[in-house]
Amino acid sequence: MAPPRTGDSERRGRHPDFGRLIRDENADTVLCHVCGRDFRSLGAHVRVHDMTAAEYREEFGLLRSRPLSAYSFVQEQSVARRSRYRNSTEMQGHLAAGRAMARSGELTRRRWNGADADGPPDELRRIQRESLDAGRRTQTRGADERLAAALRAGGFADLGQALHAVYVDGQKSIEETAAVLAVGKNRLRRLLTDHGIAVRPVGQNSDTGRRSRARSNDRAAAERVGAKDITVWLRRQVAEGATLRELATATGHSIPWVAARVGPR
């Protein structure tokens, strides 16, 4: 956006920030960016500054749809427009056509096809930023409430106790701990760090993780040879004369893996 025009700079008094329209609710007026004076409506006033209302909005980073009037003036115009609409079949027809284009998505397509290459006005950027920040605060409150509910459900006195009980003492994985505490994995890692708890490196299994992987490997080996219990099957094969090497080949595992399940002979 271009900087504010300087032709009237020496006559300015109070001036709104760029990208913000200031209304005085007590006086029921709106403040002009150029001359710093109050008016019920800037739409007509800005002509003395050699600008149209559209040029004024662009000059000072305001939304293209932003009314440049005091609230009472806007309400008066709204009442007048509704009255004209009720008495005009032509206006009713135009509005019906506009609604049909809105429902079909045509208005949205026209909006983006004709979008300004310079991007949205500063006021729109500010509104979008404030909306995004508000959304993030809402998400944070929701996450905090879910965590508090999980702590109560687990009977934990506080978050530190819960982290030690589940992740450290219980040797649960990041995924399992996150599920217990109803938090995301990334947030859990931050919480562990904040409480002085070292996050186990990726690939370093906990006792629980190792046991789980061993059970998974046993099931896979049993399915491969068509047995219900791989340990029972291996011991039966050894009793019938099979060698450890033959069994390793059959199960797809190493000789030490087979020997550990067969046990002393």
Side-chain angles (χ1 to χ4, degrees), residues 173-245:
S173 66
I174 285 288
E175 291 77 7
E176 292 170 325
T177 306
V180 170
L181 299 181
V183 298
K185 291 185 289 186
N186 290 335
R187 187 184 184 192
L188 174 60
R189 291 187 178 94
R190 291 194 297 270
L191 292 173
L192 289 169
T193 300
D194 292 343
H195 284 77
I197 300 173
V199 178
R200 290 189 291 271
V202 176
Q204 178 179 321
N205 292 328
S206 64
D207 293 340
T208 301
R210 283 192 290 272
R211 288 192 295 271
S212 175
R213 196 160 106 179
R215 287 192 296 269
S216 177
N217 288 337
D218 287 356
R219 285 194 297 270
E223 291 174 0
R224 180 168 179 166
V225 299
K228 291 183 178 181
D229 187 309
I230 190 62
T231 299
V232 172
W233 183 86
L234 288 170
R235 289 174 179 172
R236 183 183 302 121
Q237 298 303 309
V238 169
E240 293 176 359
T243 65
L244 296 183
R245 185 176 298 279

Side-chain angles (χ1 to χ4, degrees), residues 2 11 18 24-25 37 62 67 82-84 96 102 123 145 153-154 156 158 182 199 203 228 235 245 247 250:
R11 298 196 302 273
F18 188 75
D24 187 333
E25 296 184 5
R37 291 182 293 168
L62 302 177
R82 285 197 296 270
S83 176
R84 288 197 300 271
E123 186 181 20
E145 290 171 358
F156 301 114
D158 53 44
V199 178
K228 291 183 178 181
R235 289 174 179 172
R245 185 176 298 279
L247 295 175

Side-chain angles (χ1 to χ4, degrees), residues 110-171:
R110 291 187 182 187
R111 163 68 181 87
W112 291 112
N113 289 339
D116 188 349
D118 292 334
D122 289 67
E123 186 181 20
L124 179 56
R125 293 191 187 96
R126 177 178 58 80
I127 291 173
Q128 290 172 335
R129 185 170 58 253
E130 291 175 351
S131 177
L132 180 60
D133 290 342
R136 286 171 175 165
R137 288 192 296 272
T138 299
Q139 288 180 336
T140 298
R141 284 195 300 271
D144 289 342
E145 290 171 358
R146 289 191 294 273
L147 174 57
L151 293 177
R152 290 192 298 271
F156 301 114
D158 53 44
L159 178 57
Q161 181 197 22
L163 293 172
H164 279 88
V166 179
Y167 186 74
V168 179
D169 300 334
Q171 285 290 290

Side-chain angles (χ1 to χ4, degrees), residues 22 24 26 29 31 33 56 72 74 107 141 148 182 184 189 201 221 244:
I22 295 181
D24 187 333
N26 294 326
T29 56
L31 194 60
H33 286 75
Y56 180 88
S72 65
V74 173
L107 289 182
R141 284 195 300 271
R189 291 187 178 94
L244 296 183

Side-chain angles (χ1 to χ4, degrees), residues 37-70:
R37 291 182 293 168
D38 296 306
F39 298 89
R40 286 199 73 211
S41 175
L42 295 180
H45 163 70
V46 296
R47 294 173 188 167
V48 304
H49 301 305
D50 195 26
M51 279 188 273
T52 65
E55 289 172 339
Y56 180 88
R57 293 186 183 95
E58 182 177 2
E59 187 80 9
F60 296 101
L62 302 177
L63 290 171
R64 293 171 183 170
S65 59
R66 170 66 66 201
L68 301 178
S69 306

